Amino acid sequence: MRRALSHPSFMIGVVLSAAILAVALISLVWTPYDPGQMRIIMRLKPPGADFWLGTDQFGRDVVSMLMVGTRNALMVGLVAVGLGLTAGLVLGMLAARFQGSFLDEALMRSLDFVFAFPAVLTAILILTFMGPGLANAMIAIGIFNIPVFARQARGAALQVMAQDYVRAARLAGCGTFSILRRHVLPNIAGLMIVQASTQFALAILAEAGLSYLGIGTQPPNPSWGRMLNDAQTFLSRAPLLAIFPGAAIALSVLAFNLLGDGLRDLLDPRLKER
Amino acid sequence: MSVILEAVDLHRHYPLPREGIFARRRHVSAVNGVSFALEEGKVLGIVGESGSGKSTLARLLVGLEAPEKGEVRFLGQRISGLGDAALRPVRHQIQMVFQDPFGSLDPRMRVLDSIGEPLDVAEPGLAPEARRERIIGMLERVGLGEGALTRYPHQFSGGQRQRIAIARALITHPKLLIADEPVSALDVSVQAQILNLLLDLKLEFGLSLVFISHDLGIVRYLSDRVIVMQNGKIVEEGETEALFSAPAEAYTRQLIAAMPKL
Amino acid sequence: MLKVTDLSITLGSITALRGLNFAIRPGETLGIVGESGSGKSITALAIMGLLPKVMRASGRIELEGNDLLALDESALCRSRGRRMAMIFQEPMTALNPVMPIGAQIAEGLVLHGIMSRHEAAEEAIRLVGRVGLPDPAARAHSYPHELSGGQRQRAMIAMAIACRPALLIADEPTSALDVTVQAEILALLKEVREETGMAMLFISHDLAVISKLAENTLVLYGGAAMEMGETHALLAAPRHPYTRGLIAAIPSGNAHNTRLNPIRGHVPELAKLPPGCPFHGRCPLGDERCRIERPAPDIAETTAWCHHAGAHAPLAPLGVTS
């Protein structure tokens, strides 16, 4: 605990992530204005007392849109990482348990195949098949997260399974699945949590990218990526419109990366001593 | 005296990493035609240097690995080459103590659950109170108190952890214990304690023991019979005192001569 | 050659080493024996000036008249490798995996300005041959992973003696090796010492290994000296209960006729040691005075830091500690 408090980047990550989460939660019950409400006469207002960060080309309140966008971004991260983590853990641990078997080879090679394509390209490919939309974007991002988690889970599980305590459990008569659940999973959980927070940041970035391209979150739902796209047209007249969502993306990616780095340092058993 | 454990012409090879995709896979043999018999209630010492195949032999004997050729018999029944499920009925009769007391206990499991694990499999219907009693009894038997129950492995010293590992191995009252270098990771002043503990428990539980070590002094101290291994083969076998006082093979003599004495 | 006076090492509030004194003359070997936490490896690191930054050392460490603790980092660097060298338990981690061993041996010679690059390369080949590696000219181009454990330790020794240091520190150099290889390495160290006349500090957990090489032995426990003296005297008639216990814990013979008599208890954590003798609590002779008061050296055939060393006649080495 003391170590956590004296780890500056971890603490910055925690505070930022908590703030982002708080904004998302508040947006569920309150935003300054309805984020979808258009007021043509109020369009492209600079920041001021009524509209803290100004309005966009349809007169929508930027603060409200950013807040709801935060909620969307977090939801994408949560679902995509949840999907990738669950599927990756199961596949990775199975591959590790049956290391060298046909199952292992088949799994790892097919994951290599997914890996071989740039992540965003994979997502675009999936979305062209399934059609654009927030839900499909989450699934698409989740799918390209699977190999990342599967590989790490497999490597970590192999390391744990080479330990004598797993041998001892086998000698005690424990079955494969009880060993995976009781010994392997708890011992690789820390590593997976670290990876999850890094992937969370990447998922937010991917959602912004897909929405920017118009195949992610669909109107009227606000999204940081789409706000960025919209702002492009008015870059010379209202540059702030691009800066705010850009800053939101950068800040949240930074927050979750710092969180991940900090967790890695804190959970590293070699550094656990004092 | 009846034979409790028998090894018949055991062979085990490991594949070497392929040198190219089309290169033929080459193998290194770790255990190459090992046969012996252990009588009930006796201690068999297996001594050898690194690469002699003694640890592979240990894993073959307890069924963690299967031999390519030959078989392991426990009380006359073949146990090698069976799957984990088929082995389960005899599992709790054959247990093992490992070299590294920092690797043989799950760091995230309390001592209570570590020791209880074999018990849960062997006697699934055991009431929690009875289970706890059994575990405390075993802990006290290896020289640790009830206070150890809720603590985690990293809160113990190496010697204490090895005591926990021994308690865990003996909780189901096995007939046979395989100990692979159980004291070589321990401090000198603690080694002797663990050796004596193994001897006491052997008498108390009527255990038969296979004791594997690179340390000739320790093997001599503990064993009734000794096997000397080199490159996966048995070089010499005999009664302990006879073998140490009049070694027949050059390699055995070389080992004894190289052993530092006070 | 090497004179250590009142060396203490602390880590925060924990005392890792309490007021150690010893000296080694040229061509002589001092063996330090101890278990985990005894302070034997920290002593070696302190002499080499390689203590972790969080640890503080006080006292004097004099090598050829210079106080090493008073030297600054650059001066220390100059004497490290040149005037003193160290070999470790695991040569694989002490050797650079991506550099041929010949180049690693030559590096020190060039770095300390003793030889030109060309001369150093030739000297490296000579040294590779000297430490008993076959076909030295070819072996000098080998990488560490191409050598066996024993061969790597030989390469480490070649590296350590390249600059003809006045002091060689060997920290458990044979503990990871097979017995037959261990015997060879010990013989090599003996030869090299006689050839170069360097002083040696040999650290091990194994009294038997130390007795092969060291004229004098220092027994450490819990960061404090227990007993020091001429090795033969110390083994034949140990005067400290800990030394007696340590010897009694080494198996000789079979349990049927000679049952071992182990020291009771386990090696304590440094933070939990009593203010007096660290062995108090495990010692069969320990009393209240032992717990509170640091024993003064009791000098006879050996020097024993024990309140009871004088009172008891030395027991036979394998005798039972009452």
Side-chain angles (χ1 to χ4, degrees):
Chain A
M1 192 58 209
R2 276 233 318 277
R3 261 174 10 99
L5 289 175
S6 63
H7 193 295
S9 67
F10 175 70
M11 285 317 290
I12 296 173
V14 168
V15 170
L16 278 180
S17 315
I20 291 167
L21 185 68
V23 169
L25 289 177
I26 292 169
S27 79
L28 286 171
V29 292
W30 178 83
T31 49
Y33 297 90
D34 176 353
Q37 193 194 353
M38 302 189 192
R39 313 164 191 81
I40 297 303
I41 43 166
M42 299 287 198
R43 65 197 293 260
L44 296 177
K45 286 265 181 224
D50 287 341
F51 302 99
W52 299 334
L53 298 180
T55 59
D56 72 353
Q57 73 275 25
F58 299 116
R60 291 178 296 192
D61 176 38
V62 170
V63 174
S64 305
M65 288 172 72
L66 281 177
M67 284 176 72
V68 178
T70 307
R71 190 210 299 165
N72 280 340
L74 289 192
M75 197 158 71
V76 170
L78 217 61
V79 173
V81 170
L83 178 73
L85 180 65
T86 318
L89 255 181
V90 171
L91 293 180
M93 290 197 338
L94 282 178
R97 170 60 188 86
F98 301 103
Q99 188 205 3
S101 71
F102 178 74
L103 176 77
D104 177 29
E105 288 287 324
L107 268 174
M108 294 328 284
R109 293 298 81 79
S110 51
L111 293 180
D112 282 349
F113 185 75
V114 178
F115 238 171
F117 292 94
V120 174
L121 263 181
T122 319
I124 294 173
L125 193 74
I126 295 170
L127 285 177
T128 47
F129 278 116
M130 301 196 304
L134 182 63
N136 288 348
M138 294 194 285
I139 295 171
I141 299 168
I143 287 175
F144 75 65
N145 263 322
I146 294 175
V148 180
F149 286 107
R151 281 192 164 196
Q152 185 151 35
R154 178 176 177 271
L158 279 179
Q159 236 171 38
V160 171
M161 285 195 302
Q163 298 287 321
D164 281 342
Y165 58 80
V166 171
R167 294 208 178 99
R170 276 184 65 196
L171 290 181
C174 295
T176 296
F177 292 98
S178 112
I179 287 177
L180 288 180
R181 186 174 50 83
R182 289 171 58 124
H183 295 286
V184 178
L185 188 57
N187 280 294
I188 68 172
L191 207 67
M192 301 308 288
I193 290 170
V194 171
Q195 185 71 46
S197 60
T198 310
Q199 290 306 116
F200 199 92
L202 288 175
I204 289 176
L205 203 58
E207 187 274 337
L210 292 175
S211 299
Y212 176 85
L213 295 173
I215 52 175
T217 311
Q218 296 300 303
N221 282 328
S223 148
W224 294 344
R226 248 206 17 267
M227 288 172 74
L228 211 52
N229 188 359
D230 289 347
Q232 214 174 331
T233 329
F234 305 95
L235 211 50
S236 51
R237 282 174 63 193
L240 283 177
L241 269 186
I243 288 177
F244 292 131
I249 295 169
L251 208 63
S252 50
V253 169
L254 179 72
F256 290 105
N257 271 325
L258 286 177
L259 191 69
D261 283 355
L263 279 174
R264 188 183 51 220
D265 289 353
L266 294 174
L267 293 175
D268 189 336
R270 280 169 301 180
L271 302 172
K272 226 168 202 169
E273 283 312 304
R274 57 186 75 250
Chain B
M1 273 293 174
S2 60
V3 169
I4 184 163
L5 180 75
E6 206 178 346
V8 185
D9 196 29
L10 289 176
H11 285 80
R12 173 76 180 145
H13 308 269
Y14 292 111
L16 287 173
R18 258 179 242 241
E19 275 158 24
I21 310 178
F22 301 108
R24 270 191 58 201
R25 216 174 240 286
R26 294 198 302 164
H27 294 260
V28 55
S29 79
V31 170
N32 198 353
V34 168
S35 303
F36 65 82
L38 168 65
E39 283 178 5
E40 207 161 351
K42 295 282 184 187
V43 183
L44 175 70
I46 298 179
V47 67
E49 299 190 289
S50 53
S52 62
K54 56 190 196 304
S55 287
T56 306
L57 181 60
R59 290 198 289 272
L60 291 177
L61 293 178
V62 293
L64 280 173
E65 285 180 24
E68 273 103 29
K69 207 180 131 200
E71 58 183 62
V72 180
R73 294 189 199 129
F74 177 70
L75 293 170
Q77 186 195 349
R78 182 173 73 98
I79 56 164
S80 53
L82 301 180
D84 272 359
L87 257 181
R88 202 153 296 151
V90 288
R91 270 285 193 230
H92 64 271
Q93 306 210 43
I94 308 170
Q95 285 295 315
M96 183 161 173
V97 176
F98 298 85
Q99 169 174 2
D100 177 13
F102 288 89
S104 60
L105 297 168
D106 189 331
R108 286 171 200 274
M109 238 185 212
R110 291 177 309 166
V111 168
L112 175 72
D113 296 316
S114 268
I115 300 181
E117 193 173 58
L119 207 51
D120 299 338
V121 180
E123 299 173 42
L126 204 62
E129 251 329 289
R131 175 179 183 261
R132 203 183 145 85
E133 285 300 309
R134 282 273 290 276
I135 294 169
I136 292 174
M138 199 65 227
L139 265 180
E140 279 168 356
R141 192 56 208 82
V142 298
L144 292 168
E146 199 182 328
L149 281 183
T150 53
R151 290 159 73 195
Y152 287 88
H154 70 263
Q155 294 168 292
F156 295 91
S157 71
Q160 289 171 316
R161 291 175 61 120
Q162 203 57 299
R163 286 170 191 272
I164 296 168
I166 290 172
R168 177 199 156 96
L170 296 185
I171 190 84
T172 54
H173 295 298
K175 289 198 167 77
L176 174 66
L177 187 67
I178 316 274
D180 185 7
E181 302 265 12
V183 298
S184 48
L186 304 178
D187 276 319
V188 181
S189 74
V190 180
Q191 281 188 1
Q193 292 174 2
I194 300 293
L195 293 178
N196 279 350
L197 176 67
L198 280 174
L199 281 176
D200 292 343
L201 293 170
K202 183 198 104 156
L203 288 178
E204 191 177 327
F205 291 89
L207 276 175
S208 312
L209 196 63
V210 175
F211 189 92
I212 296 169
S213 179
H214 70 280
D215 188 321
L216 281 86
I218 291 175
V219 166
R220 180 180 191 175
Y221 176 65
L222 222 58
S223 313
D224 300 304
R225 280 184 79 78
V226 174
I227 285 175
V228 180
M229 282 187 74
Q230 186 190 22
N231 299 329
K233 290 198 167 104
I234 293 181
V235 176
E236 187 168 358
E237 179 183 0
E239 296 294 320
T240 306
E241 280 318 300
L243 187 136
F244 276 93
S245 50
E249 295 295 322
Y251 179 66
T252 314
R253 281 197 293 273
Q254 197 190 334
L255 273 184
I256 294 175
M259 170 180 150
K261 287 169 219 60
L262 277 182
Chain C
M1 179 66 63
L2 176 74
K3 189 158 178 265
V4 170
T5 319
D6 202 25
L7 177 64
S8 291
I9 297 169
T10 53
L11 172 71
S13 59
I14 298 169
T15 308
L17 201 64
R18 313 184 189 179
L20 208 58
N21 293 288
F22 62 81
I24 313 176
R25 280 186 289 274
E28 208 179 73
T29 300
L30 174 71
I32 298 188
V33 68
E35 303 181 280
S36 54
S38 64
K40 58 188 194 302
S41 290
I42 305 187
T43 306
L45 291 179
I47 296 170
M48 290 296 289
L50 296 172
L51 274 185
K53 288 259 182 306
V54 286
M55 294 191 180
R56 303 226 154 273
S58 63
R60 287 176 73 80
I61 302 173
E62 285 162 81
L63 180 68
E64 300 174 306
N66 301 318
D67 184 4
L68 297 179
L69 285 180
L71 290 182
D72 61 9
E73 185 58 30
S74 66
L76 208 54
C77 258
R78 277 197 296 278
S79 64
R80 206 186 287 147
R82 168 117 209 213
R83 299 313 301 154
M84 54 184 179
M86 186 161 173
I87 55 180
F88 302 87
Q89 173 171 353
E90 192 24 88
M92 195 62 200
T93 54
L95 290 168
N96 183 345
V98 295
M99 201 170 169
I101 56 161
Q104 298 192 50
I105 296 167
E107 195 183 23
L109 289 166
V110 177
L111 208 66
H112 291 292
I114 300 170
M115 286 181 189
S116 71
R117 198 158 282 282
H118 185 71
E119 288 166 333
E122 274 178 11
E123 173 69 4
I125 293 174
R126 191 192 70 79
L127 283 162
V128 168
R130 176 63 202 87
V131 295
L133 289 173
D135 194 3
R139 270 292 164 225
H141 295 287
S142 299
Y143 289 89
H145 71 267
E146 296 170 322
L147 306 177
S148 71
Q151 289 176 326
R152 280 198 286 267
Q153 200 56 284
R154 286 175 191 273
M156 268 302 292
I157 293 172
M159 226 168 118
I161 61 172
C163 299
R164 305 213 148 228
L167 172 71
L168 177 69
I169 301 177
D171 189 359
E172 303 261 13
T174 62
S175 304
L177 303 175
D178 282 326
V179 270
T180 47
V181 183
Q182 166 171 286
E184 291 166 20
I185 296 291
L186 290 178
L188 172 64
L189 282 172
K190 215 176 214 169
E191 278 171 38
V192 166
R193 180 190 64 182
E194 264 143 38
E195 231 173 75
T196 59
M198 64 187 175
M200 195 149 91
L201 185 64
F202 190 95
I203 295 170
S204 177
H205 67 281
D206 190 336
L207 259 177
V209 169
I210 282 189
S211 71
K212 290 268 166 289
L213 213 58
E215 288 86 10
N216 296 302
T217 298
L218 166 63
V219 181
L220 284 184
Y221 181 84
M226 296 283 107
E227 188 165 359
M228 181 157 69
E230 209 244 314
T231 306
H232 290 295
L234 188 124
L235 290 178
R239 297 176 62 245
H240 196 289
Y242 177 65
T243 318
R244 284 203 290 267
L246 210 53
I247 294 171
I250 300 170
S252 76
N254 190 273
H256 290 307
N257 30 52
T258 40
R259 182 92 173 185
L260 285 181
N261 206 315
I263 301 173
R264 63 194 166 147
H266 59 269
V267 181
E269 286 169 46
L270 286 175
K272 291 178 184 161
L273 287 177
C277 173
F279 193 47
H280 174 83
R282 299 183 74 190
C283 180
L285 304 176
D287 55 25
E288 189 54 19
R289 181 165 165 234
C290 297
R291 195 180 69 77
I292 300 166
E293 193 187 319
R294 288 275 304 277
D298 182 309
I299 301 162
E301 295 81 27
T302 67
T303 306
W305 283 261
C306 178
H307 292 306
H308 301 286
H312 285 253
L315 296 172
L318 289 173
V320 174
T321 52
S322 59

